[in-house]
Amino acid sequence: MGAVLLATKPSGLAMWRDALLAVDPALEIRLWPDWGREEEIESAVIWGAQYLAELRRFPDLRLIVSMGAGVDHLVLPPGPPPGVPVARLKDGMLTQGMAEWVLLNVLRFHRQDPEYRALQAARVWEELPPPETAKRRIGILGLGEIGGAAARLCAHLGFPVMGWSRRPKDQPGIEALHGAAGLDAMLARSDILVCLLPLTPETRGIINARTLGLLPPGAFLINGGRGGHAVQEDILAALDSGALAGAALDVFEPEPLPPEHPFWVHPKVFMTPHAASFTIPSSAAPQVVENIHRARDGRPLINLVDFAAGY
Ligand code: GLV
């Protein structure tokens, strides 16, 4: 029986090993960089592109599982060893965390929390105009696993929700748009724009001066996708001109964001350090073990990355 190689930051290795063994105690698990005999490695479960070049040394590798949702870092050169399929995670807890983070920021902006905090700091007792849920239109870029969950959560609260995706998608209660015309139509009506897209050559820089300029004046931006989705200078310019009233950002380019970057101290920016959600090994382990078994038996794999589409 072949072995499973785990490669991630050292502090995560034991937790992943225990989570996989809890699902299948018979797995033979090796922890990077102690892989033992190279021809025994059958599957690799990794987080980060830094392992890809080394994976070429395992002649019988038949599966790579990436421990996250986004795979933009894996499609860049050198990429996975030729012919070895790559699966990613579609994990309920990861999705739940992202949807919660979106909701946190939707409500922060919708309920004028930044303004109330400023009034509190100034000891000013003042009511702001009441917000109307049914009038706060939310546009979500990306209607996949995570975008779809965030869209349903917001719609459930009574916000009008639109979602934009590459291909047409049907989601009950969500106005689905697609294509270039659909994008502009959605932006023009998005009081809160949320980005949960995969990062691909088509979506890189999708949040830019042009697209931000299409939003209704004083809109809000929530980016939980990747830093590369946004032209960061264009966000700053839109915040400073008032075109954007606020931005909640979890992702940056580069990460970590350098200490001198203006986002850190910008009064209209609400940052988290790529911490909107996490992969919890115990939650993700069943689908990973399922794929390990499938690869071993030569059965079709689940959650495969489509390298042509880039996600
Ligand atoms: C984290 O950013 C992920 O893609 O899972």
Side-chain angles (χ1 to χ4, degrees), residues 153-165:
L153 193 58
C154 294
H156 182 73
L157 284 183
F159 292 103
V161 180
M162 299 163 282
W164 181 80
S165 51

Side-chain angles (χ1 to χ4, degrees), residues 47 66-73 88-89 94 98 146 224-226 250-251 255 274 277-279:
W47 182 243
S66 178
M67 299 169 180
V71 294
D72 43 291
H73 56 295
R88 64 186 187 92
L89 300 184
L94 183 73
M98 288 303 300
I146 294 172
R226 286 287 184 260
D250 186 55
V251 287
E255 291 182 4
H274 204 136
S277 189
F278 301 92
T279 298

